[in-house]
Amino acid sequence: MVRTWHEALERAIVIAIDEGHLKADTDPAQMLFEIHGLILALHHDARLMRTPGAPQRARLAFERVINIYLTDAPRKPRH
C-alpha cells in the first residue's frame, strides 16, 4: 500500500514539474522522501507521543517543503 501511494505521489510530482508548477530541477524522489518523512513524524508525534500542535507543525512543514519547490511562474488556467 505504501509503495502504491509513493508511486502515485511521485507521478503527481512529475506532472506538477511538467505543468510548470514545480521547478524543473525538482528531484521527485527527494520531494517524495521529504513529504513521507513529514507524514511519519506526524504519526509519531500525534499518535504515539500525543504532542500538542503536531498537526499544525506538520502542515507548516509541508507548506515549507512545497514552497521550496514551487516556481514563480504564473499558473496556467484550468479549463
Side-chain angles (χ1 to χ4, degrees), residues 29-65:
Q30 180 63 37
M31 188 175 185
L32 170 63
F33 182 86
E34 293 171 17
I35 293 169
H36 189 234
L38 292 174
I39 292 167
L40 293 176
L42 172 60
H43 282 281
H44 177 270
D45 282 16
R47 294 185 179 195
L48 180 65
M49 302 300 293
R50 300 188 192 281
T51 304
Q56 294 81 5
R57 290 187 183 278
R59 178 171 292 283
L60 177 60
F62 178 74
E63 290 173 6
R64 287 180 177 176
V65 167

Side-chain angles (χ1 to χ4, degrees), residues 13-22 76:
I13 292 167
V14 169
I15 290 168
I17 295 166
D18 292 345
E19 290 288 319
H21 301 293
L22 299 177
K76 295 179 187 177

Side-chain angles (χ1 to χ4, degrees), residues 1 15 23-24 27 32 45 53 58 62 67-68 71 79:
M1 187 170 85
I15 290 168
K23 295 175 185 172
D27 177 351
L32 170 63
D45 282 16
F62 178 74
N67 285 329
I68 289 168
T71 63
H79 296 140

